Amino acid sequence: MPRNLPAHARALTVTAAACVALAACSSTPHPVDSSGTPVTPAPTALPSGWLETDVTVPTPSGSVAGVYVHPSESSGSHPAAVILGPTGGDPGGADGGAEVELSVILAHDGSPSLRIDAPAAGATYAARLAQASAAVSDLAGRPGVDRRRLLVMGHGDGAAVAAGLAARPSGAPVIHGVALVEPVLAPAATVLSGVPDVVTLATGLPPGSQNLISCSDADIEVHCDDVQSAVDVMAGTHPNFVRLSGMSFALEDDSSKSRDSYTARLPFSATLAASIGTWLTMQ
């Protein structure tokens, strides 16, 4: 555990080892964590009885396409998440990707999700924020979704949008928890125009919220020392900082540190999947 974490963050930090402990009951010998403990592989398909439905979400700047992942028959109400990928990505595209995998993981933990198409490079932060706000409102009105436990997951510079949505006062439903997955922190490092510094946004996350923030030693786009700076300012929240080993920016088990492997369709990080499951139990 990092020594320079504030006391409240140290007490509630979710380490990779702690998350793995919840998923180590499988007899499958691979993959394993750094100590050699078996880790249940991340699921690769939706559980039985779950569906993907194409949706259109109206926003102030026009409609945005998305994919709603949900059980075929709703029973009770559950935490549900809007998933925001990196600008320039296509979470609903034919080739799938990290955001599709995130929705699969959420489904296996019983949580519906809505992933909306990320815009092309050159999009503005303000426009993405408005789209994300509309997506949260859309998700909140769907059957089986607990409006009191709405979540936002942001990957790459989608993390800035997720943090901004949770931190700002608006007419949208209140965000209960945020996952900043391999967050791109510096505005200069993103293709999203006008994005604020994520560290600044992190100071405004809802007090008492259970949030998740990750970094990996194999991610060449995001550095753990920089992510630590965002964790340090999450005063009054529970950051649940997960430092992973051997996961690329594409959220796959990949230690190559090569962008060429981003499209190789490698296994999704088992430890990140277990960490997300732990985070969901806190909501």
Short mmCIF file of all heavy atoms in Angstrom, two decimals, residues 151-207:
data_model
loop_
_atom_site.label_atom_id
_atom_site.label_comp_id
_atom_site.label_asym_id
_atom_site.label_seq_id
_atom_site.Cartn_x
_atom_site.Cartn_y
_atom_site.Cartn_z
N LEU A 151 -24.14 4.61 -11.01
CA LEU A 151 -22.69 4.62 -11.08
C LEU A 151 -22.25 5.11 -12.45
O LEU A 151 -23.00 5.03 -13.43
CB LEU A 151 -22.15 3.21 -10.84
CG LEU A 151 -22.71 2.44 -9.64
CD1 LEU A 151 -22.21 1.00 -9.66
CD2 LEU A 151 -22.32 3.13 -8.34
N VAL A 152 -21.02 5.62 -12.51
CA VAL A 152 -20.41 5.99 -13.78
C VAL A 152 -19.01 5.40 -13.82
O VAL A 152 -18.24 5.54 -12.86
CB VAL A 152 -20.34 7.52 -13.97
CG1 VAL A 152 -19.73 7.85 -15.34
CG2 VAL A 152 -21.71 8.15 -13.86
N MET A 153 -18.68 4.73 -14.94
CA MET A 153 -17.34 4.19 -15.14
C MET A 153 -16.71 4.93 -16.32
O MET A 153 -17.29 4.97 -17.41
CB MET A 153 -17.40 2.70 -15.45
CG MET A 153 -18.09 1.87 -14.39
SD MET A 153 -18.01 0.09 -14.76
CE MET A 153 -16.28 -0.24 -14.37
N GLY A 154 -15.54 5.51 -16.11
CA GLY A 154 -14.84 6.22 -17.16
C GLY A 154 -13.48 5.62 -17.41
O GLY A 154 -12.69 5.44 -16.47
N HIS A 155 -13.16 5.29 -18.66
CA HIS A 155 -11.88 4.70 -19.05
C HIS A 155 -11.11 5.72 -19.87
O HIS A 155 -11.66 6.36 -20.76
CB HIS A 155 -12.15 3.43 -19.86
CG HIS A 155 -10.94 2.79 -20.45
ND1 HIS A 155 -10.97 2.07 -21.62
CD2 HIS A 155 -9.64 2.78 -20.04
CE1 HIS A 155 -9.77 1.62 -21.92
NE2 HIS A 155 -8.94 2.05 -20.97
N GLY A 156 -9.80 5.87 -19.59
CA GLY A 156 -8.99 6.84 -20.32
C GLY A 156 -9.47 8.25 -20.03
O GLY A 156 -9.68 8.62 -18.87
N ASP A 157 -9.66 9.07 -21.08
CA ASP A 157 -10.18 10.42 -20.81
C ASP A 157 -11.68 10.40 -20.54
O ASP A 157 -12.26 11.41 -20.14
CB ASP A 157 -9.81 11.40 -21.93
CG ASP A 157 -10.41 11.05 -23.29
OD1 ASP A 157 -11.37 10.28 -23.35
OD2 ASP A 157 -9.89 11.57 -24.30
N GLY A 158 -12.32 9.23 -20.71
CA GLY A 158 -13.69 9.09 -20.23
C GLY A 158 -13.77 9.23 -18.72
O GLY A 158 -14.82 9.55 -18.17
N ALA A 159 -12.64 9.02 -18.02
CA ALA A 159 -12.59 9.18 -16.57
C ALA A 159 -12.81 10.64 -16.18
O ALA A 159 -13.43 10.93 -15.15
CB ALA A 159 -11.26 8.67 -16.02
N ALA A 160 -12.29 11.56 -16.98
CA ALA A 160 -12.50 12.98 -16.69
C ALA A 160 -13.98 13.33 -16.78
O ALA A 160 -14.51 14.08 -15.95
CB ALA A 160 -11.70 13.84 -17.66
N VAL A 161 -14.67 12.77 -17.77
CA VAL A 161 -16.10 13.01 -17.92
C VAL A 161 -16.86 12.40 -16.74
O VAL A 161 -17.78 13.01 -16.18
CB VAL A 161 -16.60 12.44 -19.25
CG1 VAL A 161 -18.08 12.77 -19.45
CG2 VAL A 161 -15.78 13.00 -20.42
N ALA A 162 -16.47 11.19 -16.35
CA ALA A 162 -17.12 10.53 -15.22
C ALA A 162 -16.95 11.33 -13.94
O ALA A 162 -17.91 11.54 -13.18
CB ALA A 162 -16.55 9.12 -15.04
N ALA A 163 -15.72 11.80 -13.69
CA ALA A 163 -15.46 12.59 -12.48
C ALA A 163 -16.22 13.91 -12.51
O ALA A 163 -16.78 14.35 -11.50
CB ALA A 163 -13.96 12.83 -12.32
N GLY A 164 -16.23 14.55 -13.68
CA GLY A 164 -16.94 15.83 -13.80
C GLY A 164 -18.43 15.67 -13.61
O GLY A 164 -19.09 16.50 -12.98
N LEU A 165 -18.99 14.57 -14.11
CA LEU A 165 -20.42 14.32 -13.97
C LEU A 165 -20.78 14.10 -12.51
O LEU A 165 -21.81 14.58 -12.03
CB LEU A 165 -20.80 13.10 -14.80
CG LEU A 165 -22.28 12.72 -14.84
CD1 LEU A 165 -23.09 13.83 -15.49
CD2 LEU A 165 -22.47 11.42 -15.61
N ALA A 166 -19.94 13.36 -11.79
CA ALA A 166 -20.22 13.08 -10.38
C ALA A 166 -20.00 14.31 -9.50
O ALA A 166 -20.66 14.47 -8.47
CB ALA A 166 -19.34 11.94 -9.89
N ALA A 167 -19.08 15.17 -9.91
CA ALA A 167 -18.70 16.30 -9.05
C ALA A 167 -19.58 17.53 -9.24
O ALA A 167 -19.73 18.33 -8.31
CB ALA A 167 -17.24 16.67 -9.32
N ARG A 168 -20.14 17.71 -10.40
CA ARG A 168 -20.84 18.97 -10.67
C ARG A 168 -22.30 18.91 -10.24
O ARG A 168 -22.96 17.87 -10.39
CB ARG A 168 -20.76 19.32 -12.15
CG ARG A 168 -21.65 18.46 -13.03
CD ARG A 168 -21.53 18.83 -14.49
NE ARG A 168 -22.51 18.08 -15.28
CZ ARG A 168 -23.42 18.65 -16.04
NH1 ARG A 168 -23.49 19.96 -16.14
NH2 ARG A 168 -24.27 17.91 -16.73
N PRO A 169 -22.85 20.02 -9.75
CA PRO A 169 -24.29 20.07 -9.49
C PRO A 169 -25.03 20.16 -10.81
O PRO A 169 -24.63 20.88 -11.72
CB PRO A 169 -24.45 21.34 -8.65
CG PRO A 169 -23.29 22.20 -9.04
CD PRO A 169 -22.16 21.26 -9.36
N SER A 170 -26.08 19.41 -10.98
CA SER A 170 -26.84 19.44 -12.23
C SER A 170 -28.23 18.90 -11.97
O SER A 170 -28.55 18.46 -10.87
CB SER A 170 -26.14 18.62 -13.31
OG SER A 170 -26.25 17.24 -13.01
N GLY A 171 -29.04 18.91 -13.01
CA GLY A 171 -30.37 18.36 -12.89
C GLY A 171 -30.42 16.87 -13.04
O GLY A 171 -31.47 16.26 -12.89
N ALA A 172 -29.28 16.26 -13.36
CA ALA A 172 -29.22 14.82 -13.54
C ALA A 172 -29.33 14.11 -12.20
O ALA A 172 -29.05 14.70 -11.14
CB ALA A 172 -27.92 14.43 -14.24
N PRO A 173 -29.73 12.84 -12.19
CA PRO A 173 -29.76 12.09 -10.93
C PRO A 173 -28.39 12.07 -10.25
O PRO A 173 -27.36 12.16 -10.91
CB PRO A 173 -30.17 10.68 -11.39
CG PRO A 173 -30.90 10.89 -12.67
CD PRO A 173 -30.23 12.05 -13.33
N VAL A 174 -28.40 11.96 -8.95
CA VAL A 174 -27.16 11.97 -8.17
C VAL A 174 -26.35 10.70 -8.47
O VAL A 174 -26.89 9.60 -8.51
CB VAL A 174 -27.47 12.06 -6.67
CG1 VAL A 174 -26.20 11.93 -5.84
CG2 VAL A 174 -28.18 13.38 -6.37
N ILE A 175 -25.05 10.89 -8.67
CA ILE A 175 -24.15 9.76 -8.91
C ILE A 175 -23.70 9.19 -7.56
O ILE A 175 -23.18 9.91 -6.71
CB ILE A 175 -22.92 10.18 -9.73
CG1 ILE A 175 -23.35 10.82 -11.05
CG2 ILE A 175 -22.00 8.99 -9.98
CD1 ILE A 175 -24.18 9.96 -11.93
N HIS A 176 -23.88 7.89 -7.39
CA HIS A 176 -23.56 7.25 -6.11
C HIS A 176 -22.09 6.86 -6.01
O HIS A 176 -21.50 6.92 -4.93
CB HIS A 176 -24.44 6.01 -5.93
CG HIS A 176 -24.35 5.37 -4.59
ND1 HIS A 176 -24.85 5.95 -3.45
CD2 HIS A 176 -23.77 4.20 -4.19
CE1 HIS A 176 -24.62 5.17 -2.41
NE2 HIS A 176 -23.96 4.11 -2.82
N GLY A 177 -21.48 6.45 -7.12
CA GLY A 177 -20.08 6.04 -7.10
C GLY A 177 -19.48 6.13 -8.49
O GLY A 177 -20.19 6.05 -9.50
N VAL A 178 -18.17 6.30 -8.53
CA VAL A 178 -17.45 6.50 -9.80
C VAL A 178 -16.28 5.53 -9.87
O VAL A 178 -15.59 5.29 -8.88
CB VAL A 178 -16.93 7.95 -9.91
CG1 VAL A 178 -16.17 8.15 -11.22
CG2 VAL A 178 -18.07 8.94 -9.81
N ALA A 179 -16.06 4.97 -11.05
CA ALA A 179 -14.86 4.18 -11.32
C ALA A 179 -14.03 4.91 -12.36
O ALA A 179 -14.51 5.17 -13.47
CB ALA A 179 -15.22 2.78 -11.81
N LEU A 180 -12.81 5.27 -11.99
CA LEU A 180 -11.86 5.93 -12.90
C LEU A 180 -10.85 4.86 -13.30
O LEU A 180 -9.92 4.56 -12.57
CB LEU A 180 -11.18 7.11 -12.22
CG LEU A 180 -12.13 8.13 -11.55
CD1 LEU A 180 -11.33 9.25 -10.89
CD2 LEU A 180 -13.14 8.69 -12.55
N VAL A 181 -11.06 4.25 -14.46
CA VAL A 181 -10.28 3.10 -14.89
C VAL A 181 -9.16 3.56 -15.82
O VAL A 181 -9.41 4.06 -16.91
CB VAL A 181 -11.18 2.07 -15.61
CG1 VAL A 181 -10.37 0.84 -16.01
CG2 VAL A 181 -12.35 1.68 -14.71
N GLU A 182 -7.93 3.40 -15.36
CA GLU A 182 -6.77 3.89 -16.11
C GLU A 182 -7.03 5.32 -16.61
O GLU A 182 -7.05 5.60 -17.80
CB GLU A 182 -6.42 2.95 -17.27
CG GLU A 182 -6.13 1.52 -16.83
CD GLU A 182 -5.00 1.44 -15.80
OE1 GLU A 182 -3.84 1.69 -16.14
OE2 GLU A 182 -5.30 1.11 -14.63
N PRO A 183 -7.22 6.25 -15.67
CA PRO A 183 -7.62 7.61 -16.07
C PRO A 183 -6.47 8.39 -16.70
O PRO A 183 -5.35 8.41 -16.18
CB PRO A 183 -8.03 8.24 -14.74
CG PRO A 183 -7.21 7.51 -13.71
CD PRO A 183 -7.10 6.11 -14.21
N VAL A 184 -6.74 9.02 -17.84
CA VAL A 184 -5.79 9.95 -18.44
C VAL A 184 -5.96 11.27 -17.71
O VAL A 184 -7.01 11.90 -17.78
CB VAL A 184 -6.05 10.11 -19.95
CG1 VAL A 184 -5.16 11.20 -20.53
CG2 VAL A 184 -5.82 8.79 -20.66
N LEU A 185 -4.93 11.68 -16.98
CA LEU A 185 -5.06 12.80 -16.04
C LEU A 185 -4.74 14.16 -16.64
O LEU A 185 -5.37 15.15 -16.33
CB LEU A 185 -4.16 12.55 -14.83
CG LEU A 185 -4.51 11.30 -14.01
CD1 LEU A 185 -3.46 11.06 -12.94
CD2 LEU A 185 -5.88 11.46 -13.37
N ALA A 186 -3.72 14.23 -17.49
CA ALA A 186 -3.26 15.51 -17.99
C ALA A 186 -4.07 15.94 -19.20
O ALA A 186 -4.20 15.17 -20.16
CB ALA A 186 -1.78 15.43 -18.35
N PRO A 187 -4.60 17.18 -19.21
CA PRO A 187 -5.36 17.64 -20.38
C PRO A 187 -4.56 17.54 -21.68
O PRO A 187 -5.12 17.27 -22.74
CB PRO A 187 -5.68 19.09 -20.02
CG PRO A 187 -5.70 19.12 -18.52
CD PRO A 187 -4.63 18.15 -18.11
N ALA A 188 -3.25 17.75 -21.62
CA ALA A 188 -2.43 17.73 -22.83
C ALA A 188 -2.30 16.33 -23.42
O ALA A 188 -1.91 16.17 -24.58
CB ALA A 188 -1.04 18.29 -22.52
N ALA A 189 -2.62 15.30 -22.63
CA ALA A 189 -2.43 13.93 -23.09
C ALA A 189 -3.68 13.34 -23.73
O ALA A 189 -3.67 12.19 -24.16
CB ALA A 189 -2.00 13.05 -21.91
N THR A 190 -4.76 14.11 -23.82
CA THR A 190 -6.01 13.59 -24.34
C THR A 190 -6.39 14.28 -25.65
O THR A 190 -5.99 15.41 -25.91
CB THR A 190 -7.14 13.77 -23.31
OG1 THR A 190 -8.37 13.32 -23.86
CG2 THR A 190 -7.30 15.22 -22.91
N VAL A 191 -7.19 13.57 -26.46
CA VAL A 191 -7.69 14.16 -27.69
C VAL A 191 -9.03 14.85 -27.45
O VAL A 191 -9.66 15.35 -28.38
CB VAL A 191 -7.86 13.09 -28.79
CG1 VAL A 191 -6.51 12.53 -29.19
CG2 VAL A 191 -8.79 11.96 -28.34
N LEU A 192 -9.47 14.89 -26.21
CA LEU A 192 -10.72 15.54 -25.84
C LEU A 192 -10.45 17.03 -25.60
O LEU A 192 -9.64 17.39 -24.74
CB LEU A 192 -11.29 14.89 -24.59
CG LEU A 192 -12.65 15.36 -24.09
CD1 LEU A 192 -13.72 15.13 -25.14
CD2 LEU A 192 -13.01 14.63 -22.80
N SER A 193 -11.11 17.88 -26.33
CA SER A 193 -10.86 19.33 -26.25
C SER A 193 -11.52 19.95 -25.02
O SER A 193 -12.68 19.67 -24.72
CB SER A 193 -11.41 20.00 -27.52
OG SER A 193 -11.35 21.40 -27.42
N GLY A 194 -10.75 20.76 -24.32
CA GLY A 194 -11.30 21.51 -23.19
C GLY A 194 -11.47 20.73 -21.92
O GLY A 194 -12.17 21.17 -21.01
N VAL A 195 -10.81 19.57 -21.80
CA VAL A 195 -10.98 18.76 -20.60
C VAL A 195 -10.22 19.36 -19.42
O VAL A 195 -9.06 19.74 -19.57
CB VAL A 195 -10.54 17.30 -20.86
CG1 VAL A 195 -9.08 17.22 -21.25
CG2 VAL A 195 -10.81 16.42 -19.65
N PRO A 196 -10.84 19.48 -18.27
CA PRO A 196 -10.13 19.97 -17.08
C PRO A 196 -9.16 18.90 -16.56
O PRO A 196 -9.20 17.74 -16.96
CB PRO A 196 -11.25 20.23 -16.06
CG PRO A 196 -12.52 20.18 -16.83
CD PRO A 196 -12.26 19.28 -17.99
N ASP A 197 -8.33 19.31 -15.64
CA ASP A 197 -7.42 18.37 -14.98
C ASP A 197 -8.23 17.44 -14.09
O ASP A 197 -9.06 17.88 -13.28
CB ASP A 197 -6.41 19.16 -14.15
CG ASP A 197 -5.38 18.26 -13.50
OD1 ASP A 197 -4.36 17.98 -14.13
OD2 ASP A 197 -5.62 17.85 -12.35
N VAL A 198 -8.02 16.14 -14.24
CA VAL A 198 -8.80 15.17 -13.47
C VAL A 198 -8.52 15.29 -11.98
O VAL A 198 -9.40 15.06 -11.15
CB VAL A 198 -8.52 13.74 -13.96
CG1 VAL A 198 -9.28 12.72 -13.13
CG2 VAL A 198 -8.91 13.59 -15.42
N VAL A 199 -7.30 15.65 -11.62
CA VAL A 199 -6.98 15.82 -10.20
C VAL A 199 -7.87 16.90 -9.59
O VAL A 199 -8.39 16.76 -8.47
CB VAL A 199 -5.49 16.16 -10.01
CG1 VAL A 199 -5.19 16.47 -8.54
CG2 VAL A 199 -4.62 15.02 -10.50
N THR A 200 -8.09 17.99 -10.34
CA THR A 200 -8.98 19.05 -9.86
C THR A 200 -10.41 18.54 -9.74
O THR A 200 -11.11 18.80 -8.75
CB THR A 200 -8.93 20.25 -10.81
OG1 THR A 200 -7.59 20.74 -10.89
CG2 THR A 200 -9.84 21.37 -10.33
N LEU A 201 -10.86 17.79 -10.74
CA LEU A 201 -12.22 17.25 -10.70
C LEU A 201 -12.41 16.30 -9.52
O LEU A 201 -13.49 16.24 -8.93
CB LEU A 201 -12.53 16.52 -12.01
CG LEU A 201 -12.64 17.37 -13.27
CD1 LEU A 201 -12.76 16.47 -14.50
CD2 LEU A 201 -13.84 18.31 -13.18
N ALA A 202 -11.36 15.56 -9.19
CA ALA A 202 -11.46 14.56 -8.13
C ALA A 202 -11.73 15.19 -6.77
O ALA A 202 -12.23 14.52 -5.86
CB ALA A 202 -10.19 13.72 -8.07
N THR A 203 -11.41 16.47 -6.62
CA THR A 203 -11.67 17.13 -5.33
C THR A 203 -13.16 17.32 -5.08
O THR A 203 -13.58 17.58 -3.95
CB THR A 203 -10.98 18.51 -5.27
OG1 THR A 203 -11.55 19.37 -6.28
CG2 THR A 203 -9.48 18.38 -5.51
N GLY A 204 -13.98 17.19 -6.13
CA GLY A 204 -15.40 17.45 -5.99
C GLY A 204 -16.28 16.23 -5.99
O GLY A 204 -17.50 16.34 -6.11
N LEU A 205 -15.69 15.04 -5.87
CA LEU A 205 -16.51 13.83 -5.84
C LEU A 205 -17.39 13.82 -4.58
O LEU A 205 -17.01 14.38 -3.55
CB LEU A 205 -15.62 12.58 -5.87
CG LEU A 205 -14.84 12.36 -7.18
CD1 LEU A 205 -13.96 11.12 -7.07
CD2 LEU A 205 -15.78 12.25 -8.37
N PRO A 206 -18.56 13.20 -4.67
CA PRO A 206 -19.51 13.25 -3.55
C PRO A 206 -18.91 12.74 -2.24
O PRO A 206 -18.28 11.67 -2.22
CB PRO A 206 -20.66 12.34 -4.01
CG PRO A 206 -20.56 12.34 -5.50
CD PRO A 206 -19.11 12.46 -5.81
N PRO A 207 -19.06 13.47 -1.15
CA PRO A 207 -18.54 13.01 0.15
C PRO A 207 -19.12 11.66 0.54
O PRO A 207 -20.30 11.40 0.35
CB PRO A 207 -19.00 14.11 1.12
CG PRO A 207 -19.24 15.30 0.26
CD PRO A 207 -19.71 14.78 -1.05
#
